[in-house]
Amino acid sequence: MLSGFNHLTLAVTDLNRSVRFYHDLLQLQLDATWDNGAYLSLPGLWLCLSLDPLRPTAPAAEYTHYAFTADASSFTAMVERLRAAKVQEWRDNRSEGASFYFLDPDGHKLEVHVGDMASRLQACRAKPYAGMKFYP
């Protein structure tokens, strides 16, 4: 039986650049580094960066992305910091809660979002997606 989400591994083409991005810019805790990788963390997240110089850096055309939680009180400052760092935005916010969609240096699609599953479901109950069903 599954008991939770264990870790997320992202292939990166320049380990030092990615460590700076995730640690310095996004402020994840840096826990360990080695020649071909790094471990970073946030409460509830273990992120592994794994060096893969052959990884294409063009963002995927599909919607798969990784979202980080931000407090409403710090969201604007986070977005300003990301824009000052000239991150590439890949989508406008179309959902409940404040969101900022951007790319990491290797084209991984990321999001900073204010809200959680409960707030999303509350918004969906008020205005459901086409064909949406809710379960206890």
Side-chain angles (χ1 to χ4, degrees):
M1 179 173 158
L2 298 178
S3 61
F5 186 79
N6 191 276
H7 70 278
L8 172 65
T9 297
L10 298 177
V12 300
T13 57
D14 182 326
L15 184 61
N16 292 329
R17 178 185 67 186
S18 292
V19 167
R20 285 190 306 273
F21 181 85
Y22 284 94
H23 176 63
D24 298 345
L25 184 60
L26 296 184
Q27 300 179 330
L28 276 71
Q29 178 176 314
L30 182 60
D31 297 301
T33 60
W34 61 98
D35 290 349
N36 294 317
Y39 291 146
L40 298 101
S41 62
L42 288 171
L45 172 66
W46 164 16
L47 176 66
C48 175
L49 301 177
S50 182
L51 184 63
D52 181 356
L54 301 179
R55 182 195 187 283
T57 57
E62 37 80 17
Y63 184 63
T64 299
H65 67 282
Y66 312 103
F68 297 98
T69 301
D71 294 328
S73 62
S74 64
F75 178 78
T76 300
M78 170 64 83
V79 171
E80 288 172 358
R81 185 168 60 248
L82 292 168
R83 286 186 170 143
K86 301 194 184 317
V87 298
Q88 182 181 347
E89 296 179 47
W90 64 272
R91 179 186 173 105
D92 293 327
N93 186 25
R94 300 176 195 155
S95 64
E96 58 70 40
S99 283
F100 181 73
Y101 297 84
F102 61 103
L103 301 177
D104 81 352
D106 285 285
H108 295 107
K109 292 180 176 179
L110 305 176
E111 174 187 2
V112 174
H113 180 72
V114 176
D116 57 15
M117 177 74 96
S119 63
R120 175 63 52 88
L121 288 174
Q122 181 180 1
C124 287
R125 282 186 170 89
K127 188 175 179 182
Y129 305 146
M132 191 168 209
K133 296 176 185 163
F134 298 95
Y135 300 92

Short mmCIF file of all heavy atoms in Angstrom, two decimals, residues 93-121:
data_model
loop_
_atom_site.label_atom_id
_atom_site.label_comp_id
_atom_site.label_asym_id
_atom_site.label_seq_id
_atom_site.Cartn_x
_atom_site.Cartn_y
_atom_site.Cartn_z
N ASN A 93 -2.40 32.38 -15.39
CA ASN A 93 -3.23 31.69 -14.40
C ASN A 93 -4.68 31.63 -14.87
O ASN A 93 -5.26 32.63 -15.23
CB ASN A 93 -3.14 32.40 -13.05
CG ASN A 93 -3.88 31.62 -11.98
OD1 ASN A 93 -4.06 30.42 -12.08
ND2 ASN A 93 -4.31 32.31 -10.94
N ARG A 94 -5.24 30.41 -14.84
CA ARG A 94 -6.64 30.21 -15.25
C ARG A 94 -7.44 29.47 -14.18
O ARG A 94 -8.52 28.97 -14.47
CB ARG A 94 -6.68 29.40 -16.55
CG ARG A 94 -5.97 30.09 -17.69
CD ARG A 94 -5.93 29.24 -18.93
NE ARG A 94 -4.94 29.80 -19.83
CZ ARG A 94 -4.31 29.12 -20.75
NH1 ARG A 94 -4.55 27.84 -20.90
NH2 ARG A 94 -3.44 29.70 -21.53
N SER A 95 -6.89 29.35 -12.99
CA SER A 95 -7.58 28.58 -11.95
C SER A 95 -7.77 29.44 -10.71
O SER A 95 -7.28 30.57 -10.63
CB SER A 95 -6.76 27.33 -11.60
OG SER A 95 -5.52 27.70 -11.04
N GLU A 96 -8.48 28.87 -9.73
CA GLU A 96 -8.66 29.58 -8.46
C GLU A 96 -7.30 29.75 -7.81
O GLU A 96 -6.38 28.98 -8.04
CB GLU A 96 -9.62 28.82 -7.55
CG GLU A 96 -9.23 27.38 -7.21
CD GLU A 96 -8.04 27.21 -6.28
OE1 GLU A 96 -7.88 27.95 -5.30
OE2 GLU A 96 -7.24 26.30 -6.56
N GLY A 97 -7.19 30.74 -6.98
CA GLY A 97 -5.93 30.96 -6.26
C GLY A 97 -4.89 31.61 -7.15
O GLY A 97 -4.89 31.43 -8.37
N ALA A 98 -4.02 32.35 -6.54
CA ALA A 98 -2.94 33.00 -7.28
C ALA A 98 -1.94 31.95 -7.74
O ALA A 98 -1.56 31.07 -6.97
CB ALA A 98 -2.26 34.05 -6.40
N SER A 99 -1.51 32.04 -8.99
CA SER A 99 -0.51 31.12 -9.53
C SER A 99 0.42 31.87 -10.47
O SER A 99 0.00 32.81 -11.15
CB SER A 99 -1.16 29.98 -10.32
OG SER A 99 -1.70 29.01 -9.48
N PHE A 100 1.66 31.42 -10.50
CA PHE A 100 2.66 31.94 -11.43
C PHE A 100 3.34 30.73 -12.05
O PHE A 100 3.87 29.88 -11.34
CB PHE A 100 3.68 32.82 -10.69
CG PHE A 100 4.73 33.41 -11.58
CD1 PHE A 100 4.42 34.44 -12.46
CD2 PHE A 100 6.04 32.93 -11.55
CE1 PHE A 100 5.40 34.99 -13.29
CE2 PHE A 100 7.02 33.48 -12.37
CZ PHE A 100 6.69 34.50 -13.24
N TYR A 101 3.30 30.64 -13.38
CA TYR A 101 3.83 29.51 -14.13
C TYR A 101 5.13 29.92 -14.81
O TYR A 101 5.15 30.91 -15.54
CB TYR A 101 2.83 29.06 -15.19
CG TYR A 101 1.51 28.56 -14.63
CD1 TYR A 101 0.49 29.45 -14.31
CD2 TYR A 101 1.28 27.20 -14.45
CE1 TYR A 101 -0.73 29.00 -13.82
CE2 TYR A 101 0.07 26.74 -13.96
CZ TYR A 101 -0.92 27.65 -13.64
OH TYR A 101 -2.12 27.19 -13.15
N PHE A 102 6.20 29.15 -14.60
CA PHE A 102 7.51 29.53 -15.12
C PHE A 102 8.34 28.27 -15.40
O PHE A 102 8.00 27.18 -14.98
CB PHE A 102 8.24 30.46 -14.14
CG PHE A 102 8.49 29.84 -12.78
CD1 PHE A 102 9.74 29.37 -12.44
CD2 PHE A 102 7.47 29.72 -11.85
CE1 PHE A 102 9.98 28.80 -11.20
CE2 PHE A 102 7.70 29.15 -10.61
CZ PHE A 102 8.96 28.69 -10.28
N LEU A 103 9.44 28.47 -16.13
CA LEU A 103 10.34 27.37 -16.48
C LEU A 103 11.61 27.44 -15.63
O LEU A 103 12.09 28.53 -15.32
CB LEU A 103 10.74 27.44 -17.95
CG LEU A 103 9.62 27.38 -18.98
CD1 LEU A 103 10.20 27.53 -20.38
CD2 LEU A 103 8.83 26.09 -18.85
N ASP A 104 12.16 26.27 -15.32
CA ASP A 104 13.49 26.25 -14.71
C ASP A 104 14.53 26.31 -15.83
O ASP A 104 14.16 26.34 -17.03
CB ASP A 104 13.66 25.04 -13.78
CG ASP A 104 14.01 23.73 -14.47
OD1 ASP A 104 14.00 23.65 -15.71
OD2 ASP A 104 14.30 22.76 -13.75
N PRO A 105 15.82 26.35 -15.54
CA PRO A 105 16.83 26.49 -16.60
C PRO A 105 16.84 25.36 -17.63
O PRO A 105 17.37 25.52 -18.73
CB PRO A 105 18.15 26.53 -15.83
CG PRO A 105 17.80 27.02 -14.48
CD PRO A 105 16.42 26.45 -14.21
N ASP A 106 16.26 24.20 -17.28
CA ASP A 106 16.23 23.06 -18.20
C ASP A 106 14.87 22.87 -18.86
O ASP A 106 14.62 21.86 -19.50
CB ASP A 106 16.64 21.78 -17.48
CG ASP A 106 18.14 21.75 -17.25
OD1 ASP A 106 18.87 21.51 -18.22
OD2 ASP A 106 18.58 21.99 -16.11
N GLY A 107 13.98 23.85 -18.71
CA GLY A 107 12.68 23.76 -19.37
C GLY A 107 11.64 22.97 -18.61
O GLY A 107 10.55 22.73 -19.15
N HIS A 108 11.91 22.56 -17.36
CA HIS A 108 10.87 21.91 -16.56
C HIS A 108 9.82 22.96 -16.23
O HIS A 108 10.14 24.08 -15.83
CB HIS A 108 11.44 21.33 -15.26
CG HIS A 108 12.41 20.23 -15.47
ND1 HIS A 108 13.76 20.38 -15.29
CD2 HIS A 108 12.23 18.95 -15.86
CE1 HIS A 108 14.37 19.25 -15.55
NE2 HIS A 108 13.46 18.36 -15.90
N LYS A 109 8.56 22.59 -16.40
CA LYS A 109 7.46 23.51 -16.14
C LYS A 109 7.14 23.50 -14.64
O LYS A 109 6.87 22.45 -14.06
CB LYS A 109 6.23 23.10 -16.95
CG LYS A 109 6.42 23.28 -18.43
CD LYS A 109 5.18 22.86 -19.19
CE LYS A 109 5.33 23.14 -20.67
NZ LYS A 109 4.14 22.70 -21.42
N LEU A 110 7.18 24.70 -14.05
CA LEU A 110 6.93 24.86 -12.63
C LEU A 110 5.80 25.85 -12.40
O LEU A 110 5.45 26.64 -13.28
CB LEU A 110 8.20 25.37 -11.93
CG LEU A 110 9.48 24.56 -12.14
CD1 LEU A 110 10.66 25.25 -11.48
CD2 LEU A 110 9.32 23.14 -11.61
N GLU A 111 5.27 25.82 -11.19
CA GLU A 111 4.21 26.74 -10.78
C GLU A 111 4.41 27.07 -9.31
O GLU A 111 4.77 26.20 -8.52
CB GLU A 111 2.84 26.08 -10.98
CG GLU A 111 1.67 26.87 -10.46
CD GLU A 111 0.36 26.10 -10.52
OE1 GLU A 111 0.34 24.92 -10.94
OE2 GLU A 111 -0.66 26.68 -10.12
N VAL A 112 4.16 28.30 -8.94
CA VAL A 112 4.01 28.70 -7.55
C VAL A 112 2.53 28.99 -7.38
O VAL A 112 1.95 29.77 -8.15
CB VAL A 112 4.86 29.94 -7.21
CG1 VAL A 112 4.57 30.42 -5.80
CG2 VAL A 112 6.33 29.65 -7.36
N HIS A 113 1.90 28.35 -6.39
CA HIS A 113 0.44 28.41 -6.24
C HIS A 113 0.07 28.72 -4.79
O HIS A 113 0.66 28.18 -3.87
CB HIS A 113 -0.18 27.08 -6.66
CG HIS A 113 -1.67 27.04 -6.54
ND1 HIS A 113 -2.50 27.73 -7.39
CD2 HIS A 113 -2.48 26.42 -5.65
CE1 HIS A 113 -3.76 27.51 -7.06
NE2 HIS A 113 -3.77 26.72 -5.99
N VAL A 114 -0.92 29.59 -4.64
CA VAL A 114 -1.51 29.86 -3.34
C VAL A 114 -2.81 29.06 -3.27
O VAL A 114 -3.71 29.26 -4.08
CB VAL A 114 -1.80 31.36 -3.15
CG1 VAL A 114 -2.52 31.61 -1.84
CG2 VAL A 114 -0.51 32.16 -3.23
N GLY A 115 -2.88 28.13 -2.34
CA GLY A 115 -4.07 27.30 -2.19
C GLY A 115 -3.68 25.85 -1.99
O GLY A 115 -2.50 25.49 -2.01
N ASP A 116 -4.68 25.02 -1.80
CA ASP A 116 -4.46 23.60 -1.59
C ASP A 116 -5.62 22.82 -2.19
O ASP A 116 -6.50 23.41 -2.84
CB ASP A 116 -4.27 23.28 -0.10
CG ASP A 116 -5.45 23.73 0.76
OD1 ASP A 116 -6.55 24.02 0.22
OD2 ASP A 116 -5.29 23.79 1.99
N MET A 117 -5.64 21.52 -1.99
CA MET A 117 -6.70 20.69 -2.56
C MET A 117 -8.07 21.12 -2.06
O MET A 117 -9.03 21.18 -2.83
CB MET A 117 -6.45 19.22 -2.22
CG MET A 117 -7.55 18.30 -2.70
SD MET A 117 -7.55 18.04 -4.47
CE MET A 117 -6.64 16.53 -4.51
N ALA A 118 -8.17 21.48 -0.77
CA ALA A 118 -9.46 21.88 -0.22
C ALA A 118 -9.99 23.14 -0.89
O ALA A 118 -11.18 23.22 -1.25
CB ALA A 118 -9.35 22.08 1.30
N SER A 119 -9.13 24.13 -1.09
CA SER A 119 -9.58 25.37 -1.75
C SER A 119 -9.93 25.13 -3.21
O SER A 119 -10.87 25.72 -3.74
CB SER A 119 -8.54 26.49 -1.60
OG SER A 119 -7.32 26.16 -2.23
N ARG A 120 -9.19 24.23 -3.88
CA ARG A 120 -9.50 23.90 -5.27
C ARG A 120 -10.87 23.22 -5.36
O ARG A 120 -11.69 23.55 -6.21
CB ARG A 120 -8.41 23.00 -5.85
CG ARG A 120 -8.65 22.47 -7.26
CD ARG A 120 -8.73 23.56 -8.34
NE ARG A 120 -7.60 24.46 -8.33
CZ ARG A 120 -6.46 24.29 -8.99
NH1 ARG A 120 -6.30 23.23 -9.76
NH2 ARG A 120 -5.49 25.18 -8.91
N LEU A 121 -11.11 22.24 -4.49
CA LEU A 121 -12.40 21.53 -4.53
C LEU A 121 -13.55 22.47 -4.18
O LEU A 121 -14.63 22.37 -4.78
CB LEU A 121 -12.37 20.33 -3.59
CG LEU A 121 -11.52 19.16 -4.07
CD1 LEU A 121 -11.44 18.08 -3.00
CD2 LEU A 121 -12.01 18.60 -5.38
#
